[in-house]
């Protein structure tokens, strides 16, 4: 079932944009609706349709919800062997369908599952993959997908095309693309697929799921984020950051510097190698504004920066900048919030 890379293909056989839907324990992951939103934007003005392919078992009700995001068709690959994620099982089942139906573009979330399955799918299908894209566009001159991603440590953005192979495949950073709008009526249909999958096709199996015990935070959907950087001077500095976040009903974010110092868990990291966020308000406390940090938060509606250095680059992107010591500014802000 493998197709060789560079094997001659007829480009006109390929049409439509596919989103590889992601589910965890039967619940659709938000990256799926983000990719649907982006796919709908890319098909505008073309004859292409937006399709989702999702694998799992007994998740019909959840799968049908996808139709309310303006999807033309959902291919639901249903099998008890796909109940939990396995690289072998999922990539075999999805690659078979891609080879049969020939989508022109395939979008995968750059989540832990997407980063695992994306390259394996590309290898099975015999095409290329641009990983970790932050922007997608169609070139009006030839209809090719322009796939933009950070390169050289985030210091420049590279736009990459897939000149001869199809489908054109990209993994896309979660939190970057706008979610598709939920509509009152469903337009498309669900087509159920039974894969030709056997137990022995799955080499590594999930035996048991053990929760990490850590309280999960949801930076992607947070409306307010208060983030601490190296300027907080130590792990105890996060007490002040958390106090302000709690007062505002927000989440705690961090720069990578604090994560690397072991002051806070990586799940709080905002930026190129952390989470991409777009809250209504982002408060950067003691964060210099390195390009890799800005890559993850510059789409926030309002950015407030607190920094002792008036030349800090964060002041170039913020809406409100406070030059001052965060140990004085944050308590003063909390006092003002109490007065509201
Ligand atoms: P610093 O740059 O040290 O800035 C600390 C700031 O605190 C300074 O501006 C200082 O003036 C201010 N300050 C000091 N004391 C006070 C005080 N009392 N009150 C107020 N302000 C004060 N970084 C990320 O954040 N996220 C990423 O995802 C990420 N990915 C990366 C990926 C790659 C490939 C590379 C090479 C780097 C990445 N980085 C990332 C690291 C990034 O380049 C910076 O090193 C990092 O963001 C710096 O963190 P910082 O702003 O907290 O620290």
């Amino acid at each position: 079932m493998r197709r060789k890379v560079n094997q001659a293909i007829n480009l006109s056989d390929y049409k439509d944009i596919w989103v590889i839907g992601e589910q965890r324990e039967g619940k659709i992951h938000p990256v799926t609706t983000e990719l649907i939103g982006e796919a709908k934007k890319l098909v505008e003005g073309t004859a292409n349709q937006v399709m989702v392919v999702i694998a799992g078992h007994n998740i019909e009700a959840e799968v049908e919800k996808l139709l309310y995001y303006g999807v033309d068709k959902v291919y639901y690959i249903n099998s008890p062997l796909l109940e939990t994620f396995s690289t072998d099982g999922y990539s075999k089942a999805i690659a078979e369908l891609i080879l049969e139906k020939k989508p022109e573009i395939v979008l995968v979330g750059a989540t832990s599952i997407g980063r695992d399955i994306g390259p394996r799918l590309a290898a099975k299908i015999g095409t290329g993959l641009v990983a970790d894209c932050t922007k997608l566009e169609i070139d009006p001159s030839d209809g090719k997908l322009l796939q933009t991603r950070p390169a050289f440590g985030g210091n420049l953005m590279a736009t990459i095309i897939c000149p001869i192979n199809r489908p054109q495949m990209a993994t896309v950073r979660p939190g970057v693309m706008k979610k598709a709008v939920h509509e009152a009526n469903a337009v498309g249909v669900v087509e159920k697929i039974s894969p030709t999958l056997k137990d022995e096709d799955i080499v590594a199996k999930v035996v048991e799921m053990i929760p990490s015990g850590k309280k999960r935070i949801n930076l992607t959907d947070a409306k307010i984020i208060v983030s601490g950087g190296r300027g907080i001077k130590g792990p105890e500095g996060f007490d002040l950051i958390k106090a302000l976040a709690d007062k505002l009903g927000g989440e705690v974010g961090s720069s990578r510097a604090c994560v690397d110092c072991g002051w806070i868990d990586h799940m709080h990291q905002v930026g190129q190698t952390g989470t991409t966020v777009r809250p209504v308000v982002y408060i950067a406390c003691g964060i210099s504004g390195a390009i890799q940090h800005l890559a993850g938060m510059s789409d926030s509606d309002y950015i407030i920066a607190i920094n002792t250095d008036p030349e800090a680059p964060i002041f170039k992107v913020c809406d409100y900048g406070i030059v001052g010591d965060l140990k004085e500014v944050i308590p003063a802000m909390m006092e003002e919030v109490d007065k509201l």
Side-chain angles (χ1 to χ4, degrees), residues 34-156:
E34 291 168 17
L35 295 182
I36 294 170
E38 185 62 15
K40 286 178 71 178
K41 215 176 78 194
L42 294 173
V43 297
E44 264 170 32
T46 74
N48 281 333
Q49 295 193 317
V50 175
M51 319 253 177
V52 176
V53 55
I54 188 157
H57 183 51
N58 285 345
I59 53 166
E60 284 77 0
E62 197 70 5
V63 166
E64 284 194 4
K65 287 182 190 166
L66 291 171
L67 298 177
Y68 289 86
Y69 291 94
V71 172
D72 295 290
K73 185 180 260 189
V74 179
Y75 292 111
Y76 166 37
I77 313 178
N78 179 40
S79 161
L81 295 172
L82 298 171
E83 183 157 5
T84 51
F85 174 75
S86 72
T87 315
D88 309 317
Y90 274 50
S91 60
K92 181 173 190 296
I94 297 172
E96 272 179 5
L97 200 64
I98 291 177
L99 287 171
E100 183 197 330
K101 306 282 183 191
K102 299 188 170 58
E104 193 182 356
I105 294 172
V106 174
L107 305 180
V108 187
T111 57
S112 50
I113 286 182
R115 284 170 200 237
D116 182 338
I117 199 174
R120 283 163 206 265
L121 275 178
K124 278 187 160 54
I125 298 161
T127 190
L129 172 88
V130 182
D132 234 9
C133 294
T134 53
K135 188 174 162 198
L136 298 172
E137 280 171 308
I138 300 289
D139 185 339
S141 66
D142 58 9
K144 286 201 181 88
L145 183 66
L146 304 172
Q147 302 159 90
T148 303
R149 52 151 298 158
F152 293 101
N155 288 306
L156 61 86

Side-chain angles (χ1 to χ4, degrees), residues 229-230 255-256 269-273 286 288 292-293 307 325-326:
R230 210 189 321 251
S255 72
R256 177 163 156 178
Q269 184 182 317
V270 172
Q272 188 189 319
T273 42
S288 58
Q292 297 89 356
H293 188 81
N307 200 305
D325 187 331
L326 61 91

